[in-house]
Amino acid sequence: MRKLKKFPENFYWGGALAANQVEGAWNEDGKGPSITDVMTAGSHEKPRRIATEIFPNTYYPSHKAIDFIMIIVKISSCSLMKV
């Protein structure tokens, strides 16, 4: 098992959110799509594209959330268990 390093005692956690991250799905509660909902994925060979709507069979970047709170809790509990 990998040993986790302990954060310094004076380490401060920070975080930020954008409105489009917390507003909810584009098709729920009458919201409608925003610019991030209609921006296609891109690469070095193919630039991103801003569409006029959400087209089927078009790849849009994943908007699945990561539960950072649970990650911090896991890291903190591992650090506390070693104290």
Side-chain angles (χ1 to χ4, degrees):
M1 180 178 237
R2 197 172 99 199
K3 185 177 179 181
L4 296 175
K5 293 180 181 179
K6 187 176 180 183
F7 284 96
E9 294 296 324
N10 61 348
F11 183 85
Y12 290 103
W13 287 97
L17 294 172
N20 64 319
Q21 292 175 303
V22 295
E23 287 176 344
W26 69 270
N27 59 349
E28 297 294 325
D29 297 325
K31 179 180 169 278
S34 69
I35 190 101
T36 55
D37 294 317
V38 295
M39 185 180 298
T40 63
S43 67
H44 291 291
E45 295 82 28
K46 185 177 179 181
R48 286 184 168 198
R49 187 170 56 95
I50 299 173
T52 55
E53 58 187 273
I54 298 173
F55 295 107
N57 303 321
T58 302
Y59 178 69
Y60 298 91
S62 173
H63 297 296
K64 292 183 180 176
I66 298 172
D67 193 344
F68 288 108
I69 300 298
M70 288 308 299
I71 292 171
I72 292 169
V73 167
K74 286 180 183 178
I75 290 170
S76 298
S77 63
C78 287
S79 298
L80 293 174
M81 288 171 33
K82 304 218 187 280
V83 174

